[in-house]
Amino acid sequence: MSVTPLRALPIDELRQRTSTKWRKYGEDVLPFFVAETDYALAPAITEVLTRAVRLGDTGYTPPEPGVREAFVGFAERRWGWKVDPSHVFWTGDVMMGVVEILRRVIEPGDRVVVMPPVYPPFYDTVEEAGGVVDRVPLIETADGWEIDLLGVEAALAGGARAVLLCNPHNPTGTVHSRQTLAALADIAEGFGATVISDEIHGPLAYAQRPFTPFLSASDSAGRVGYAVTSASKTFNLAGLKCAVMVAGGDTQAKELRALPWEVEWRTGLFGALSNVAAYSADSDEWLASLLAALDANRMLLADLLAEHLPQARYLPPDAGFLAWVDLSAYGWGENPAVKVLRDAKVALHHGPLFGTEGKGYVRINFGCDPDLLREAVERVGALARS
């Protein structure tokens, strides 16, 4: 059955938004840097938030906001993953969850494996938890990026106590295979290490490479792991604070129950309401339309780059709306986003912020109107020809 792609909102309407994407730069700049999308909210979310505002339902988040049940239902519908409800907890956002779990599983000074190029807050989160970043870069192949399992094994053998996994990976958009995730879990279990998987982009995996939740990859993954996720990236809810923490087993669930009560209280009421609506079956049709739009845009970007920036290197992501693009052939320095912003008035995310492996790269948000994406690439292409 064909799905009608979701249409982005008009730019004059988008410029009325007050979020970071539309307020950091002036109206002469096209914003493609931060991970906010340009679509109207899913109707179920608009309905629940509108009702809350009308009622003045703006108080504290209740002890049982429905997040647990909604996520359990979504995980089973979407991925066939049967999550034990007693293993599900919630907090304000994914990085809050990650840092609180890290505080439970490492001691100050312990090393934590991260896999650059990776979402910049990963580095800060490890340090906030008292850990030390242990870099094990992804391996780039002709077909994309892969986890360096031998590198992870060496890091754990050298004393690292935890692995911070990005699944799907940001910024490359890599969906790690079940086999790779199971192998990672086996390695971690062999060294008594913990794996914490950030799975915020999981609902945005395309059909060609289905998403595997880490905790479902194998029995050993359940024994060593935690997952932290949210509807916020898929449904554009970053300003409404709510994330889900999932324990791989009873032992991890005990650790999550032992977290300070404030960790749960950081969840915003609007965040909880909107996550419940997002995870409900009422939002499944909207999500299918979103994926159809993003799927078309990720391939459109490949065509646009081939036409206007033929020396750029880009592999369409397996998941998400973020493109990892190598512009180093154009000689615009280690951080080409600086020149692109200054001279083309297009704001892209700075590649080096993702690690030294990001030198010469930019990250482009293609969760937008195709014509806006076309205009942005044309502007950068003109800069390359000048």
Side-chain angles (χ1 to χ4, degrees), residues 25-373:
Y25 301 106
E27 293 196 1
D28 59 334
V29 172
L30 297 180
F32 288 81
F33 62 110
V34 72
E36 299 179 24
T37 53
D38 294 352
Y39 308 97
L41 293 177
I45 297 173
T46 299
E47 181 179 345
V48 73
L49 293 178
T50 300
R51 181 176 185 274
V53 171
R54 187 170 61 246
L55 292 173
D57 189 10
T58 54
Y60 293 108
T61 307
E64 295 294 337
V67 173
R68 172 186 293 115
E69 296 79 7
F71 178 76
V72 168
F74 182 84
E76 185 163 6
R77 286 196 320 277
R78 198 84 194 157
W79 307 306
W81 178 26
K82 295 183 184 297
V83 180
D84 184 334
S86 70
H87 293 172
V88 179
F89 303 81
W90 46 93
T91 188
D93 61 43
V94 168
M95 288 297 102
M96 280 185 193
V98 168
V99 74
E100 295 298 343
I101 294 169
L102 277 173
R103 285 177 173 141
R104 298 294 303 182
V105 302
I106 66 170
E107 298 293 334
D110 281 350
R111 289 186 286 118
V112 178
V113 172
V114 300
M115 305 174 189
V118 73
Y119 183 51
F122 270 36
Y123 304 103
D124 300 329
T125 297
V126 171
E127 293 175 2
E128 184 180 348
V132 176
V133 170
D134 196 340
R135 301 170 72 262
V136 180
L138 295 181
I139 298 172
E140 185 176 2
T141 72
D143 298 322
W145 288 264
E146 298 176 356
I147 294 174
D148 182 357
L149 293 171
L150 291 178
V152 172
E153 185 174 19
L156 296 180
R161 300 302 306 142
V163 177
L164 188 47
L165 173 67
C166 202
N167 177 42
H169 199 88
N170 175 8
T172 63
T174 305
V175 170
H176 304 299
S177 70
R178 181 178 297 275
Q179 293 77 13
T180 295
L181 296 174
L184 175 64
D186 287 344
I187 292 168
E189 187 171 40
F191 290 98
T194 299
V195 178
I196 304 170
S197 184
D198 172 355
E199 302 190 343
I200 198 169
H201 294 274
L204 292 172
Y206 301 107
Q208 296 88 340
R209 191 89 183 254
F211 169 69
T212 299
F214 174 74
L215 298 179
S216 74
S218 65
D219 290 343
S220 58
R223 290 191 293 268
V224 304
Y226 298 83
V228 191
T229 189
S230 174
S232 64
K233 205 64 67 181
T234 300
F235 293 88
N236 203 39
L237 306 171
L240 305 179
K241 293 297 185 180
C242 181
V244 174
M245 301 177 289
V246 186
D250 291 341
T251 299
Q252 295 95 321
K254 183 178 179 181
E255 294 290 345
L256 293 181
R257 286 190 202 97
L259 291 172
W261 62 269
E262 184 63 28
V263 174
E264 180 181 309
W265 270 93
R266 291 172 187 155
T267 307
L269 178 57
F270 276 20
L273 291 171
S274 59
N275 269 250
V276 170
Y279 286 138
S280 75
D282 292 340
S283 294
D284 287 352
E285 184 178 347
W286 183 93
L287 178 53
S289 294
L290 172 69
L291 282 167
L294 297 179
D295 194 7
N297 275 5
R298 69 178 179 139
M299 305 315 296
L300 171 63
L301 180 57
D303 293 339
L304 291 171
L305 291 172
E307 179 180 356
H308 299 285
L309 291 160
Q311 296 182 70
R313 291 197 309 132
Y314 162 64
L315 184 69
D318 301 326
F321 51 86
L322 305 171
W324 189 234
V325 182
D326 181 3
L327 296 179
S328 57
Y330 290 96
W332 294 341
E334 293 184 352
N335 190 3
V338 174
K339 180 176 177 63
V340 170
L341 175 61
R342 183 185 65 233
D343 297 340
K345 300 300 181 184
V346 177
L348 307 177
H349 209 325
H350 298 200
L353 291 179
F354 296 81
T356 57
E357 295 76 11
K359 292 179 180 179
Y361 280 81
V362 295
R363 196 189 71 177
I364 303 174
N365 176 348
F366 57 82
C368 62
D369 187 281
D371 288 339
L372 198 63
L373 183 62

Side-chain angles (χ1 to χ4, degrees), residues 3-22:
V3 177
T4 302
L6 203 60
R7 293 180 64 88
L9 296 170
I11 192 167
D12 58 344
E13 191 170 333
L14 291 167
R15 289 203 182 278
Q16 296 177 47
R17 292 181 172 180
T18 60
S19 61
T20 291
K21 183 173 184 177
W22 298 100

